[in-house]
């Protein structure tokens, strides 16, 4: 008879969040790089999310002025973190050492589709040709080499053909005219040939400068998928096959091969679902039911931003999110808004008033201790924001209501 699978309870999963995601005060990180590495990747579609996600996890004593200086140093000076297209055709911030893994496992396939679509749309119903586009591309990269960093507008001053327009999504309800510059830079970005630099304006801006990217080593795709799976399971395990395919955007067969390649161990969750962890990770010191485990990280509250990697790490979320709260906290496309957490569960949402002060609402009452802890986290957030008001790119019903 085969031995019974280890069981990982929901309480154990929530205890892992406290430590592995640096959410308990006793487990907070010392650097922006540590935050990104521990979470595998930070969602970067909304530029503010990266800084807010780090702010919730960095110890105040190592980031007394908030996470922005530390994150900007890592992104734009030391280049230990890089913003790039990755899983599910989404922009992420990842450790630079992990960038080749993301590129080879995921982004190469996205880039091939992006280039084919772009070429088809640019040349359809116009005098523009593939040879013309190749010339413009070469001139754009040459201009970027000369300038070091430049915005799309500055590049168009160097190469005026970037201002040519084409129809994006012809024949669809979302058809619109686009400049060649924006789409070409997106294609070059997915191919890993250019990289986003420091944005114009403040840290909430999405008007990025661009630079020529250093070449990335080309890894065998299967090897890269296995490496990314190993990192992801260290962050999000136990997790299901459906969670992995959703998070990465891979085919089911690729996800299964990657799980096999890392010798992922099957475990059983509270709802009897089969999930996976790295070998020998079913019982760990950060799981409170493990015999001989040290004291847990203690109670914790967190105000996490829209698209935070913890909230978006799994497809199946009922173990930390009451399904009745989804309509208030998600937009129609499935993007989660700012959330309030207590001991590994989402218990409410937050926003900012017009004057920048954080305001929050609990959707369930977790008790007086939780309310006091949430209030303290809101005050900590208010201090380092210094009056900056952040409006999420993808707005949700509760966030809109609270910020009015």
């Amino acid at each position: 008879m085969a031995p019974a699978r280890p069981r990982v309870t929901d309480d154990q999963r929530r205890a892992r969040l406290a430590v592995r995601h640096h959410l308990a005060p006793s487990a907070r990180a010392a650097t922006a790089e540590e935050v990104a590495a521990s979470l595998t990747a930070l969602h970067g579609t909304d530029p503010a999310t990266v800084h807010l996600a780090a702010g919730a996890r960095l110890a105040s004593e190592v980031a007394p002025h908030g996470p922005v200086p530390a994150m900007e140093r890592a992104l734009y000076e030391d280049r230990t973190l890089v913003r790039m297209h990755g899983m599910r055709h989404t922009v992420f911030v990842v450790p630079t050492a992990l960038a080749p893994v993301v590129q080879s496992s995921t982004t190469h396939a996205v880039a091939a589709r992006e280039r084919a679509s772009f070429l088809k749309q640019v040349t359809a119903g116009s005098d523009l040709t593939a040879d013309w586009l190749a010339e413009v591309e070469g001139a754009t990269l040459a201009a970027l080499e000369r300038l070091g960093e430049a915005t799309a507008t500055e590049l168009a001053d160097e190469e005026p053909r970037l201002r040519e327009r084409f129809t994006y999504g012809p024949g669809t309800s979302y058809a619109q005219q686009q400049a060649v510059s924006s789409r070409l830079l997106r294609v070059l970005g997915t191919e890993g040939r250019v990289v986003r630099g420091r944005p114009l304006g403040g840290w909430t801006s999405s008007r990025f400068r661009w630079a020529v990217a250093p070449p990335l080593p080309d890894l065998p795709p299967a090897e890269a998928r296995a490496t990314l799976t190993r990192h992801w399971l260290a962050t999000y395990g136990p997790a299901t096959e459906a969670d992995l395919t959703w998070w990465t955007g891979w085919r089911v067969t690729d996800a299964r091969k990657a799980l096999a390649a890392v010798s992922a161990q099957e475990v059983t969750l509270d709802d009897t679902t089969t999930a996976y962890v790295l070998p020998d990770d079913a019982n760990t010191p950060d799981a409170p039911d493990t015999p001989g485990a040290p004291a847990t990280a203690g109670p914790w509250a967190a105000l996490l931003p829209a698209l935070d990697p913890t909230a978006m790490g799994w497809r199946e979320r009922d173990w930390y999110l009451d399904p009745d709260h989804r309509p208030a906290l998600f937009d129609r496309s499935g993007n989660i808004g700012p959330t309030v957490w207590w001991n590994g569960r989402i218990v409410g949402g937050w926003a900012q008033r017009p004057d920048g002060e954080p305001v929050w609402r609990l959707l369930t009452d977790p008790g007086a201790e939780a309310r006091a802890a949430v209030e303290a986290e809101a005050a900590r957030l208010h201090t380092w924001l210094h009056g900056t008001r952040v409006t999420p790119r993808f707005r949700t019903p509760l966030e809109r209501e609270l910020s009015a």
Side-chain angles (χ1 to χ4, degrees):
M1 179 182 296
R5 292 176 186 161
R7 180 184 175 210
V8 180
T9 68
D10 288 348
D11 283 343
Q12 287 175 317
R13 298 180 81 183
R14 289 187 281 265
R16 290 175 184 229
L17 290 186
V19 176
R20 299 187 182 191
H21 291 216
H22 300 295
L23 292 169
S26 60
R28 285 186 180 143
T31 66
E33 291 89 343
E34 184 183 357
V35 172
S38 296
L39 293 167
T40 303
L42 305 175
H43 277 263
T45 306
D46 188 335
T49 293
V50 175
H51 301 278
L52 292 166
R57 295 170 170 89
L58 283 173
S60 297
E61 57 269 23
V62 300
H65 304 295
V68 175
M71 185 60 70
E72 291 193 330
R73 173 192 49 75
L75 279 169
Y76 310 127
E77 298 171 20
D78 297 344
R79 300 286 186 179
T80 47
L81 300 177
V82 61
R83 183 180 273 106
M84 65 182 295
H85 268 89
M87 293 62 69
R88 302 191 315 282
H89 205 163
T90 298
V91 177
F92 286 88
V93 166
V94 302
T96 300
L98 197 62
V101 171
V102 174
Q103 185 72 32
S104 296
S105 69
T106 306
T107 316
H108 275 332
V110 171
R113 294 193 297 270
E114 274 286 303
R115 179 167 285 278
S117 173
F118 180 42
L119 180 60
K120 180 179 179 180
Q121 291 174 350
V122 164
T123 58
S126 75
D127 296 330
L128 308 182
T129 66
D131 289 341
W132 178 90
L133 184 59
E135 288 182 13
V136 174
E137 181 178 315
T140 300
L141 290 171
L144 207 49
E145 287 275 13
R146 291 194 307 272
L147 297 172
E149 280 195 349
T151 64
T153 300
E154 291 166 342
L155 284 171
D157 290 338
E158 296 287 317
E159 173 46 77
R161 289 177 292 182
L162 286 170
R163 296 194 180 97
E164 290 282 351
R165 304 186 74 79
F166 68 98
T167 302
Y168 173 77
T172 68
S173 60
Y174 53 84
Q176 57 179 297
Q177 289 289 300
Q178 282 192 352
V180 166
S181 60
S182 60
R183 190 69 181 278
L184 178 59
L185 288 168
R186 179 183 178 92
V187 170
L188 293 174
T190 60
E191 292 175 342
R193 299 168 69 189
V194 300
V195 64
R196 291 166 178 81
R198 192 183 296 273
L200 294 179
W203 55 272
T204 63
S205 171
S206 58
R207 297 179 60 202
F208 290 102
R209 297 177 176 90
W210 295 86
V212 174
L216 295 175
D218 198 11
L219 306 176
E223 175 188 319
R225 285 192 290 269
T227 301
L228 186 60
T229 298
R230 189 176 297 109
H231 282 267
W232 182 79
L233 279 177
T235 299
Y236 299 104
T240 66
E241 179 186 284
D243 290 328
L244 178 59
T245 55
W246 174 83
W247 190 85
T248 57
W250 297 340
R251 297 176 301 175
V252 173
T253 53
D254 288 333
R256 288 176 179 169
K257 289 177 181 178
L259 288 168
V262 301
S263 302
Q265 180 182 358
E266 291 185 348
V267 298
T268 300
L269 303 179
D270 271 354
D271 63 0
T272 72
T273 300
T274 298
Y276 297 88
V277 296
L278 290 174
D280 302 320
D281 192 33
N283 294 308
T284 59
D286 48 29
D289 296 341
T290 303
T296 61
W300 59 273
L303 271 64
L304 300 185
L307 298 178
D308 186 85
T310 297
M312 296 290 287
W314 297 265
R315 181 181 180 184
E316 307 297 335
R317 302 180 175 121
D318 289 359
W319 59 279
Y320 63 87
L321 172 65
D322 187 330
D324 290 341
H325 298 161
R326 287 175 180 261
L329 296 172
F330 285 79
D331 71 4
R332 293 181 180 179
S333 298
N335 300 303
I336 197 167
T339 50
V340 176
W341 291 67
W342 173 244
N343 287 345
R345 291 184 176 91
I346 295 175
V347 295
W350 67 275
Q352 285 177 278
R353 294 190 175 100
D355 64 1
E357 182 180 358
V359 57
W360 46 276
R361 179 183 299 166
L362 298 177
L363 300 175
T364 186
D365 186 2
E369 182 184 16
R371 292 193 297 272
V374 171
E375 187 70 52
E377 281 302 295
R380 190 168 80 99
L381 174 64
H382 192 204
T383 297
W384 74 254
L385 281 172
H386 299 300
T388 300
R389 191 178 183 211
V390 178
T391 301
R393 176 171 293 186
F394 306 107
R395 306 196 68 185
T396 54
L398 184 56
E399 186 275 329
R400 287 181 182 275
E401 182 182 347
L402 291 175
S403 63

